[in-house]
Amino acid sequence: MPREIQTQVSPEVAHNESLINEHVAKLLNTSVKEIQKVVVLKRSIDARQKAIKFNIKATVFFKGEDFVEQKIELPEYKNVSNSQEVIIVGAGPAGLFAALQLVELGLKPILIERGKDVRGRRRDLKAINVDHIVNEDSNYCFGEGGAGTYSDGKLYTRSKKRGDIDRILRLLVGFGASDDILVEAHPHIGTNKLPQIIQDIREKIIECGGQVLFETRVTDFIIKNNQMQGIVTQNGDTISANKVILATGHSARDIFELLDKKKIFIEAKPFALGVRAEHPQELIDKIQYSCDFRGEFLPPSPYSIVKQVNGRGMYSFCMCPGGVIAPCATSPGEVVTNGWSPSKRDQATANSGIVVELKLEDFKPFAKFGALAGMEFQKAIEQKAWHLAGQTQKVPAQRMVDFTQNKVSSSIPKTSYVPGTTSVEMGQVFPGFLSQIMREGFKEFGKTMRGYLTNEAILHAPESRTSSPVRIPRDNETLEHFQIKGLYPCGEGAGYAGGIISAAIDGEKCALKIAEALKI
């Protein structure tokens, strides 16, 4: 009978099938010849001791036992060309996986995306990086695949719904992702590989009879007697459907403004805001692995750190080992940062958002904006950063120690942020309370991670799009907006997800609820 084991091995053993077999044979007091296959189920790094180990959970099949290599297969998607239509606004992970689920259930998705297809976005990303031109409909946040496509493709989530997570990961493998994502504790696809997967998902939706409309921005909702009837596009076209999944992401400010204007209830939501810190990857490896050189079998090290400072949480967010910092503004006249890593995580620098939790009371200076107060707070900081850095896509930057000492950095080395940097005292970018928390917080970080607090680290401001500043409320059971029937707020922009996996899960949940309501 197959045996399930949990063990620790050296990095070299973890990456060599024959060495793993030898280790398992010794562990089980048997011969290597008796082992047919060791199937690794989960793999994670334990760097708490000087001798770094990999935790391995595996199933061991012995000679003579039935073992069949499992091939990930996609569900049987139906032809939905003539089926009932459901509108999905936004082709990020929530929208794409909602569309796939609808097709599987026999409903026809009409997927509406304001931006360009995943390949077409590249020209606009080059424009913002090189020419400092922001296309409001096509950028790092808007376009096919959403914000995650060109900002890393991290698949880690703290969600406890393990079955749902596995389903999403298996679907991604079915559409071309490496099956390593089923094994790694912190799976990651990489910005260089995710676009093809996104394209293949879209092609499957279209092949099955669904529709995908690019460069189509929703400018109005058609509502009668508090029931969704459809949407209006920027060209004045109407698309009718009485079920609409709203999956527009955390940066779709025009949608928040539209909802507010139409008196569809929304509410301000706390989020986190701060800077993006960049260190040499070699320095982070040295801190985390307690060694001068990590060797070929250890990946570039991530880090995760949380502190309480003056009653606020300050923590690392979206950490990108071997990655770069990207310009993620969605409108002219603002500066926004984010980070991403290629699949190999082979860049010379490591970066992470370092953010502070905000409270609703922080938005009081913007109270006149009602439910949009948090969004206006966020916008004001992004616009101030743009002015301070020279009214281009350059970002305000400061060396980390200099920031803690309220001292303008005399020089800023070239960083991974392509548009460039301007030396600024960060206290000018943020409200005083936020700057003070970050100054104290970085000192605390330096006590926990010796060597982290250094002038080799460059801070870029702001990291402001951590999550939506607005929540669009919905009924816990039906997932419909409690005021507007047929409207399904979904994913990160509505306040119900925080990353690719959780957004995809939420998209599927909304699709299932629609099928349930239609008695499919």
Side-chain angles (χ1 to χ4, degrees), residues 1-34:
M1 182 177 178
R3 289 271 305 272
E4 189 168 291
I5 62 164
Q6 296 196 44
T7 185
Q8 284 194 326
V9 298
S10 70
E12 182 180 5
V13 171
H15 291 84
N16 187 302
E17 185 176 353
S18 63
L19 292 180
I20 285 182
N21 288 353
E22 290 176 16
H23 173 85
V24 170
K26 186 175 181 181
L27 184 71
L28 299 179
N29 196 26
T30 188
S31 166
V32 173
K33 294 179 181 178
E34 292 301 311

mmCIF file of all heavy atoms in Angstrom, residues 1-34:
data_model
loop_
_atom_site.group_PDB
_atom_site.id
_atom_site.type_symbol
_atom_site.label_atom_id
_atom_site.label_comp_id
_atom_site.label_asym_id
_atom_site.label_seq_id
_atom_site.Cartn_x
_atom_site.Cartn_y
_atom_site.Cartn_z
ATOM 1 N N MET A 1 0.852 -1.188 0.000
ATOM 2 C CA MET A 1 0.000 0.000 0.000
ATOM 3 C C MET A 1 0.892 1.245 0.000
ATOM 4 O O MET A 1 1.879 1.303 0.741
ATOM 5 C CB MET A 1 -0.896 -0.013 1.250
ATOM 6 C CG MET A 1 -1.856 1.152 1.323
ATOM 7 S SD MET A 1 -2.938 1.015 2.760
ATOM 8 C CE MET A 1 -3.852 2.532 2.582
ATOM 9 N N PRO A 2 0.583 2.274 -0.829
ATOM 10 C CA PRO A 2 1.398 3.494 -0.849
ATOM 11 C C PRO A 2 1.500 4.121 0.533
ATOM 12 O O PRO A 2 0.548 4.087 1.314
ATOM 13 C CB PRO A 2 0.639 4.401 -1.826
ATOM 14 C CG PRO A 2 -0.156 3.470 -2.675
ATOM 15 C CD PRO A 2 -0.523 2.323 -1.796
ATOM 16 N N ARG A 3 2.666 4.686 0.821
ATOM 17 C CA ARG A 3 2.910 5.327 2.114
ATOM 18 C C ARG A 3 3.010 6.827 1.934
ATOM 19 O O ARG A 3 3.689 7.308 1.020
ATOM 20 C CB ARG A 3 4.231 4.818 2.712
ATOM 21 C CG ARG A 3 4.207 3.380 3.216
ATOM 22 C CD ARG A 3 3.761 3.292 4.674
ATOM 23 N NE ARG A 3 4.562 4.113 5.571
ATOM 24 C CZ ARG A 3 5.688 3.692 6.164
ATOM 25 N NH1 ARG A 3 6.168 2.487 5.900
ATOM 26 N NH2 ARG A 3 6.335 4.474 7.016
ATOM 27 N N GLU A 4 2.368 7.569 2.829
ATOM 28 C CA GLU A 4 2.538 9.018 2.827
ATOM 29 C C GLU A 4 3.566 9.374 3.884
ATOM 30 O O GLU A 4 3.482 8.904 5.023
ATOM 31 C CB GLU A 4 1.213 9.737 3.104
ATOM 32 C CG GLU A 4 1.306 11.243 2.883
ATOM 33 C CD GLU A 4 -0.045 11.942 2.860
ATOM 34 O OE1 GLU A 4 -0.813 11.735 1.893
ATOM 35 O OE2 GLU A 4 -0.321 12.690 3.816
ATOM 36 N N ILE A 5 4.540 10.181 3.504
ATOM 37 C CA ILE A 5 5.603 10.523 4.439
ATOM 38 C C ILE A 5 5.795 12.036 4.494
ATOM 39 O O ILE A 5 5.432 12.771 3.577
ATOM 40 C CB ILE A 5 6.947 9.885 4.036
ATOM 41 C CG1 ILE A 5 7.404 10.418 2.662
ATOM 42 C CG2 ILE A 5 6.869 8.371 4.044
ATOM 43 C CD1 ILE A 5 8.858 10.148 2.356
ATOM 44 N N GLN A 6 6.366 12.487 5.603
ATOM 45 C CA GLN A 6 6.816 13.864 5.730
ATOM 46 C C GLN A 6 8.241 13.818 6.243
ATOM 47 O O GLN A 6 8.530 13.103 7.207
ATOM 48 C CB GLN A 6 5.917 14.652 6.685
ATOM 49 C CG GLN A 6 4.489 14.792 6.167
ATOM 50 C CD GLN A 6 3.707 15.876 6.887
ATOM 51 O OE1 GLN A 6 4.218 16.968 7.113
ATOM 52 N NE2 GLN A 6 2.480 15.556 7.240
ATOM 53 N N THR A 7 9.115 14.553 5.584
ATOM 54 C CA THR A 7 10.524 14.486 5.955
ATOM 55 C C THR A 7 11.204 15.796 5.614
ATOM 56 O O THR A 7 10.615 16.673 4.963
ATOM 57 C CB THR A 7 11.218 13.314 5.229
ATOM 58 O OG1 THR A 7 12.568 13.187 5.694
ATOM 59 C CG2 THR A 7 11.231 13.530 3.719
ATOM 60 N N GLN A 8 12.429 15.952 6.055
ATOM 61 C CA GLN A 8 13.254 17.102 5.700
ATOM 62 C C GLN A 8 14.485 16.619 4.953
ATOM 63 O O GLN A 8 15.081 15.604 5.333
ATOM 64 C CB GLN A 8 13.684 17.882 6.943
ATOM 65 C CG GLN A 8 12.600 18.750 7.546
ATOM 66 C CD GLN A 8 13.172 19.745 8.540
ATOM 67 O OE1 GLN A 8 14.140 19.463 9.247
ATOM 68 N NE2 GLN A 8 12.580 20.932 8.600
ATOM 69 N N VAL A 9 14.848 17.367 3.911
ATOM 70 C CA VAL A 9 16.024 17.000 3.123
ATOM 71 C C VAL A 9 16.831 18.269 2.839
ATOM 72 O O VAL A 9 16.340 19.385 2.980
ATOM 73 C CB VAL A 9 15.627 16.321 1.795
ATOM 74 C CG1 VAL A 9 14.865 15.028 2.040
ATOM 75 C CG2 VAL A 9 14.805 17.269 0.920
ATOM 76 N N SER A 10 18.051 18.075 2.404
ATOM 77 C CA SER A 10 18.893 19.206 2.036
ATOM 78 C C SER A 10 18.403 19.801 0.714
ATOM 79 O O SER A 10 17.703 19.124 -0.052
ATOM 80 C CB SER A 10 20.345 18.765 1.884
ATOM 81 O OG SER A 10 20.474 17.949 0.715
ATOM 82 N N PRO A 11 18.755 21.057 0.411
ATOM 83 C CA PRO A 11 18.351 21.646 -0.869
ATOM 84 C C PRO A 11 18.787 20.812 -2.068
ATOM 85 O O PRO A 11 18.038 20.676 -3.042
ATOM 86 C CB PRO A 11 19.049 23.007 -0.852
ATOM 87 C CG PRO A 11 19.167 23.347 0.606
ATOM 88 C CD PRO A 11 19.434 22.040 1.287
ATOM 89 N N GLU A 12 19.976 20.236 -2.018
ATOM 90 C CA GLU A 12 20.465 19.430 -3.136
ATOM 91 C C GLU A 12 19.591 18.207 -3.353
ATOM 92 O O GLU A 12 19.220 17.870 -4.482
ATOM 93 C CB GLU A 12 21.914 19.000 -2.885
ATOM 94 C CG GLU A 12 22.521 18.199 -4.033
ATOM 95 C CD GLU A 12 23.954 17.778 -3.782
ATOM 96 O OE1 GLU A 12 24.451 18.032 -2.665
ATOM 97 O OE2 GLU A 12 24.562 17.214 -4.685
ATOM 98 N N VAL A 13 19.221 17.524 -2.269
ATOM 99 C CA VAL A 13 18.370 16.333 -2.375
ATOM 100 C C VAL A 13 16.992 16.709 -2.900
ATOM 101 O O VAL A 13 16.403 16.006 -3.732
ATOM 102 C CB VAL A 13 18.260 15.621 -1.009
ATOM 103 C CG1 VAL A 13 17.201 14.514 -1.049
ATOM 104 C CG2 VAL A 13 19.614 15.045 -0.611
ATOM 105 N N ALA A 14 16.458 17.844 -2.441
ATOM 106 C CA ALA A 14 15.102 18.267 -2.823
ATOM 107 C C ALA A 14 14.958 18.452 -4.323
ATOM 108 O O ALA A 14 13.858 18.334 -4.863
ATOM 109 C CB ALA A 14 14.743 19.558 -2.101
ATOM 110 N N HIS A 15 16.060 18.715 -5.025
ATOM 111 C CA HIS A 15 15.998 18.984 -6.461
ATOM 112 C C HIS A 15 16.562 17.843 -7.305
ATOM 113 O O HIS A 15 16.859 18.018 -8.480
ATOM 114 C CB HIS A 15 16.745 20.283 -6.771
ATOM 115 C CG HIS A 15 16.065 21.505 -6.243
ATOM 116 N ND1 HIS A 15 16.227 21.945 -4.951
ATOM 117 C CD2 HIS A 15 15.196 22.363 -6.836
ATOM 118 C CE1 HIS A 15 15.495 23.043 -4.767
ATOM 119 N NE2 HIS A 15 14.862 23.304 -5.882
ATOM 120 N N ASN A 16 16.691 16.658 -6.712
ATOM 121 C CA ASN A 16 17.248 15.519 -7.437
ATOM 122 C C ASN A 16 16.418 14.277 -7.139
ATOM 123 O O ASN A 16 16.403 13.786 -6.010
ATOM 124 C CB ASN A 16 18.711 15.308 -7.014
ATOM 125 C CG ASN A 16 19.409 14.257 -7.835
ATOM 126 O OD1 ASN A 16 18.979 13.104 -7.903
ATOM 127 N ND2 ASN A 16 20.524 14.645 -8.456
ATOM 128 N N GLU A 17 15.727 13.769 -8.154
ATOM 129 C CA GLU A 17 14.796 12.654 -7.959
ATOM 130 C C GLU A 17 15.493 11.406 -7.410
ATOM 131 O O GLU A 17 14.984 10.751 -6.504
ATOM 132 C CB GLU A 17 14.091 12.329 -9.275
ATOM 133 C CG GLU A 17 13.008 11.266 -9.134
ATOM 134 C CD GLU A 17 12.253 11.041 -10.434
ATOM 135 O OE1 GLU A 17 12.470 11.798 -11.398
ATOM 136 O OE2 GLU A 17 11.440 10.091 -10.479
ATOM 137 N N SER A 18 16.662 11.079 -7.939
ATOM 138 C CA SER A 18 17.345 9.865 -7.477
ATOM 139 C C SER A 18 17.806 10.015 -6.031
ATOM 140 O O SER A 18 17.749 9.053 -5.249
ATOM 141 C CB SER A 18 18.526 9.531 -8.393
ATOM 142 O OG SER A 18 19.496 10.558 -8.358
ATOM 143 N N LEU A 19 18.241 11.210 -5.655
ATOM 144 C CA LEU A 19 18.662 11.436 -4.262
ATOM 145 C C LEU A 19 17.472 11.390 -3.311
ATOM 146 O O LEU A 19 17.591 10.913 -2.181
ATOM 147 C CB LEU A 19 19.391 12.775 -4.138
ATOM 148 C CG LEU A 19 20.760 12.888 -4.819
ATOM 149 C CD1 LEU A 19 21.357 14.277 -4.611
ATOM 150 C CD2 LEU A 19 21.717 11.808 -4.285
ATOM 151 N N ILE A 20 16.332 11.866 -3.768
ATOM 152 C CA ILE A 20 15.117 11.754 -2.944
ATOM 153 C C ILE A 20 14.761 10.282 -2.739
ATOM 154 O O ILE A 20 14.414 9.852 -1.631
ATOM 155 C CB ILE A 20 13.935 12.510 -3.601
ATOM 156 C CG1 ILE A 20 14.117 14.023 -3.417
ATOM 157 C CG2 ILE A 20 12.600 12.083 -2.986
ATOM 158 C CD1 ILE A 20 12.994 14.857 -3.986
ATOM 159 N N ASN A 21 14.858 9.491 -3.807
ATOM 160 C CA ASN A 21 14.558 8.057 -3.677
ATOM 161 C C ASN A 21 15.491 7.386 -2.673
ATOM 162 O O ASN A 21 15.059 6.560 -1.862
ATOM 163 C CB ASN A 21 14.674 7.375 -5.039
ATOM 164 C CG ASN A 21 13.532 7.754 -5.972
ATOM 165 O OD1 ASN A 21 12.585 8.417 -5.573
ATOM 166 N ND2 ASN A 21 13.627 7.334 -7.232
ATOM 167 N N GLU A 22 16.765 7.738 -2.739
ATOM 168 C CA GLU A 22 17.729 7.171 -1.780
ATOM 169 C C GLU A 22 17.387 7.586 -0.349
ATOM 170 O O GLU A 22 17.446 6.770 0.577
ATOM 171 C CB GLU A 22 19.146 7.627 -2.130
ATOM 172 C CG GLU A 22 19.711 7.013 -3.408
ATOM 173 C CD GLU A 22 21.084 7.582 -3.750
ATOM 174 O OE1 GLU A 22 21.706 8.196 -2.855
ATOM 175 O OE2 GLU A 22 21.520 7.421 -4.908
ATOM 176 N N HIS A 23 17.026 8.848 -0.176
ATOM 177 C CA HIS A 23 16.665 9.340 1.153
ATOM 178 C C HIS A 23 15.438 8.605 1.687
ATOM 179 O O HIS A 23 15.415 8.184 2.854
ATOM 180 C CB HIS A 23 16.393 10.848 1.093
ATOM 181 C CG HIS A 23 15.859 11.423 2.370
ATOM 182 N ND1 HIS A 23 16.676 11.831 3.403
ATOM 183 C CD2 HIS A 23 14.582 11.615 2.808
ATOM 184 C CE1 HIS A 23 15.938 12.277 4.407
ATOM 185 N NE2 HIS A 23 14.662 12.155 4.070
ATOM 186 N N VAL A 24 14.427 8.444 0.835
ATOM 187 C CA VAL A 24 13.187 7.787 1.262
ATOM 188 C C VAL A 24 13.443 6.315 1.590
ATOM 189 O O VAL A 24 12.913 5.782 2.577
ATOM 190 C CB VAL A 24 12.103 7.937 0.177
ATOM 191 C CG1 VAL A 24 10.903 7.046 0.490
ATOM 192 C CG2 VAL A 24 11.678 9.401 0.064
ATOM 193 N N ALA A 25 14.250 5.667 0.770
ATOM 194 C CA ALA A 25 14.575 4.259 1.032
ATOM 195 C C ALA A 25 15.234 4.101 2.410
ATOM 196 O O ALA A 25 14.883 3.196 3.181
ATOM 197 C CB ALA A 25 15.491 3.725 -0.063
ATOM 198 N N LYS A 26 16.160 4.983 2.705
ATOM 199 C CA LYS A 26 16.838 4.936 4.008
ATOM 200 C C LYS A 26 15.848 5.221 5.133
ATOM 201 O O LYS A 26 15.853 4.563 6.179
ATOM 202 C CB LYS A 26 17.967 5.956 4.020
ATOM 203 C CG LYS A 26 18.839 5.898 5.267
ATOM 204 C CD LYS A 26 20.014 6.861 5.145
ATOM 205 C CE LYS A 26 20.900 6.786 6.400
ATOM 206 N NZ LYS A 26 22.044 7.738 6.300
ATOM 207 N N LEU A 27 14.968 6.189 4.916
ATOM 208 C CA LEU A 27 13.965 6.559 5.918
ATOM 209 C C LEU A 27 13.032 5.394 6.226
ATOM 210 O O LEU A 27 12.655 5.160 7.385
ATOM 211 C CB LEU A 27 13.162 7.761 5.405
ATOM 212 C CG LEU A 27 12.117 8.367 6.336
ATOM 213 C CD1 LEU A 27 12.795 9.093 7.494
ATOM 214 C CD2 LEU A 27 11.217 9.340 5.569
ATOM 215 N N LEU A 28 12.654 4.647 5.187
ATOM 216 C CA LEU A 28 11.702 3.551 5.352
ATOM 217 C C LEU A 28 12.393 2.200 5.538
ATOM 218 O O LEU A 28 11.726 1.150 5.534
ATOM 219 C CB LEU A 28 10.761 3.495 4.147
ATOM 220 C CG LEU A 28 9.897 4.756 3.913
ATOM 221 C CD1 LEU A 28 9.020 4.573 2.680
ATOM 222 C CD2 LEU A 28 9.040 5.063 5.136
ATOM 223 N N ASN A 29 13.717 2.259 5.642
ATOM 224 C CA ASN A 29 14.491 1.035 5.889
ATOM 225 C C ASN A 29 14.223 -0.024 4.819
ATOM 226 O O ASN A 29 13.907 -1.183 5.115
ATOM 227 C CB ASN A 29 14.167 0.474 7.288
ATOM 228 C CG ASN A 29 15.212 -0.539 7.739
ATOM 229 O OD1 ASN A 29 16.368 -0.499 7.305
ATOM 230 N ND2 ASN A 29 14.809 -1.458 8.600
ATOM 231 N N THR A 30 14.349 0.411 3.575
ATOM 232 C CA THR A 30 14.134 -0.503 2.462
ATOM 233 C C THR A 30 15.172 -0.215 1.381
ATOM 234 O O THR A 30 15.990 0.692 1.496
ATOM 235 C CB THR A 30 12.698 -0.349 1.894
ATOM 236 O OG1 THR A 30 12.464 -1.383 0.943
ATOM 237 C CG2 THR A 30 12.494 0.997 1.228
ATOM 238 N N SER A 31 15.113 -0.994 0.307
ATOM 239 C CA SER A 31 16.053 -0.815 -0.801
ATOM 240 C C SER A 31 15.489 0.166 -1.818
ATOM 241 O O SER A 31 14.269 0.210 -2.047
ATOM 242 C CB SER A 31 16.305 -2.165 -1.477
ATOM 243 O OG SER A 31 16.936 -1.979 -2.725
ATOM 244 N N VAL A 32 16.377 0.930 -2.458
ATOM 245 C CA VAL A 32 15.954 1.853 -3.516
ATOM 246 C C VAL A 32 15.242 1.085 -4.623
ATOM 247 O O VAL A 32 14.292 1.579 -5.239
ATOM 248 C CB VAL A 32 17.175 2.618 -4.092
ATOM 249 C CG1 VAL A 32 16.765 3.440 -5.308
ATOM 250 C CG2 VAL A 32 17.801 3.507 -3.046
ATOM 251 N N LYS A 33 15.665 -0.150 -4.866
ATOM 252 C CA LYS A 33 15.062 -0.962 -5.926
ATOM 253 C C LYS A 33 13.593 -1.281 -5.654
ATOM 254 O O LYS A 33 12.836 -1.611 -6.554
ATOM 255 C CB LYS A 33 15.839 -2.265 -6.101
ATOM 256 C CG LYS A 33 17.254 -2.047 -6.630
ATOM 257 C CD LYS A 33 17.987 -3.367 -6.753
ATOM 258 C CE LYS A 33 19.416 -3.164 -7.272
ATOM 259 N NZ LYS A 33 20.163 -4.431 -7.360
ATOM 260 N N GLU A 34 13.202 -1.199 -4.371
ATOM 261 C CA GLU A 34 11.819 -1.498 -4.000
ATOM 262 C C GLU A 34 10.891 -0.305 -4.218
ATOM 263 O O GLU A 34 9.671 -0.438 -4.105
ATOM 264 C CB GLU A 34 11.751 -1.943 -2.534
ATOM 265 C CG GLU A 34 12.409 -3.285 -2.258
ATOM 266 C CD GLU A 34 11.763 -4.394 -3.077
ATOM 267 O OE1 GLU A 34 10.519 -4.492 -3.078
ATOM 268 O OE2 GLU A 34 12.517 -5.145 -3.743
#
